[in-house]
Amino acid sequence: MYDTKKLLSICIPTHNRAKILDNALKAIQKELKTIDCSEIEFIVSDNCSPDNTEEVVLNYIQTGMPIIYSKNTTNLGMDGNFVQCFKKATAQYVWVLGDDDFLKDGALSFLLAKLKNTDYGLIHLKIFPKEKDEETKIYQTIEEYLSDISYWITFISSNIVATKFVPTINFEKYMGTWFTLIPLYITAAKESQKNLMINKRIFEDAADGATNGGYNFFEVFVVNYLTIRREMLVDTKNEMYYYKKEKKRLFNEFLLGFIYKFYFKKNKGKFKTEGGWRILFQYFGGNIYFYKGILKLTIKRLLPPQIIQRIKKMLS
């Protein structure tokens, strides 16, 4: 059941990162002083943390911070904890905010003003807005909207979704993909007449690199992402055109940097890459941009920076 008086549920899933969560809560506490707290619901979903996460949260509750604290008796996994956040939300919109994403000054007052008296399916918070972009843009065409969001739909903190769509999603079907929530985002956008893009940075991503990873990078960001995206958009206009466009952008703007890091710099961190080249050839091997990209990485690895800069000047 949803609370029609509340506009936004802010849900923070967390596990074993008490120090980072403390900083996130500190930023939110500051923002709560600038808004009408009756308009929001604030939930922390602790995924059975073995550290002092509970103590940190209870300290904030004792200061009067309106936190609904939920601690899982067992670790539900990342996907499971994310889904639980969505299912616990009762406001009109739900924003699952990473515990390592810190609100900027004025973030909540700005956001609530943009959401009040609206009926969007999905609101996307652009991570790297351009100066020329309008502060907000309303979309009525699903194809253009999701094309503009692109692979950033995988960044959970960048998406606020209408809570009414949560019960319509079979989350179990996508457990283990690491992208359990993408079907919710796309469904909400497809089923709504209007969706919103906010071209304003309202939080800082302080990603905890020490704990990132633990999954097969290319299985997740190539196979799983592209499969789910195509499955969800197969009934939209010019589906193949937008699919090919997204594949090219994903490779050039996102994957190339990680290919260089993983295979050329030999820095995989906690990510797994088994079968990575096979996946890359399977999905991108028929495109000339794939070979151009790998060639650029090879040159970058073999030639000293000053020579690369000289070549760029000659070609410009």
Side-chain angles (χ1 to χ4, degrees), residues 259-275:
I259 293 171
Y260 185 73
K261 179 181 179 180
F262 295 158
Y263 293 119
F264 289 78
K265 300 291 288 185
K266 307 297 182 182
N267 179 13
K268 297 180 182 180
K270 293 188 176 182
F271 290 105
K272 300 174 184 177
T273 58
E274 290 81 2

Side-chain angles (χ1 to χ4, degrees), residues 63 110 113 137 223 235:
T63 66
F110 169 83
K137 181 179 179 180
V223 180
D235 57 346

Side-chain angles (χ1 to χ4, degrees), residues 72-101:
N72 303 330
T73 55
T74 59
N75 189 323
L76 303 179
M78 186 189 74
D79 281 347
N81 201 29
F82 284 171
V83 170
Q84 180 167 259
C85 282
F86 281 98
K87 289 184 176 181
K88 285 183 176 293
T90 65
Q92 180 183 356
Y93 295 107
V94 51
W95 184 18
V96 174
L97 182 68
D99 59 8
D100 57 357
D101 294 323

Side-chain angles (χ1 to χ4, degrees), residues 258-304:
F258 285 95
I259 293 171
Y260 185 73
K261 179 181 179 180
F262 295 158
Y263 293 119
F264 289 78
K265 300 291 288 185
K266 307 297 182 182
N267 179 13
K268 297 180 182 180
K270 293 188 176 182
F271 290 105
K272 300 174 184 177
T273 58
E274 290 81 2
W277 283 116
R278 173 185 56 78
I279 292 170
L280 289 168
F281 275 105
Q282 177 184 347
Y283 279 81
F284 304 102
N287 302 282
I288 190 65
Y289 62 77
F290 171 77
Y291 301 97
K292 287 183 177 180
I294 300 302
L295 179 60
K296 287 180 180 179
L297 295 186
T298 304
I299 294 173
K300 180 180 179 180
R301 182 61 176 166
L302 294 178
L303 296 180

Side-chain angles (χ1 to χ4, degrees), residues 42-95:
F42 187 34
I43 300 170
V44 173
S45 183
D46 179 358
N47 203 12
C48 196
S49 298
D51 64 2
N52 64 322
T53 291
E54 182 173 354
E55 178 185 352
V56 168
V57 177
L58 292 180
N59 284 340
Y60 279 96
I61 293 176
Q62 289 173 3
T63 66
M65 198 167 171
I67 300 175
I68 300 171
Y69 178 58
S70 173
K71 184 171 184 178
N72 303 330
T73 55
T74 59
N75 189 323
L76 303 179
M78 186 189 74
D79 281 347
N81 201 29
F82 284 171
V83 170
Q84 180 167 259
C85 282
F86 281 98
K87 289 184 176 181
K88 285 183 176 293
T90 65
Q92 180 183 356
Y93 295 107
V94 51
W95 184 18

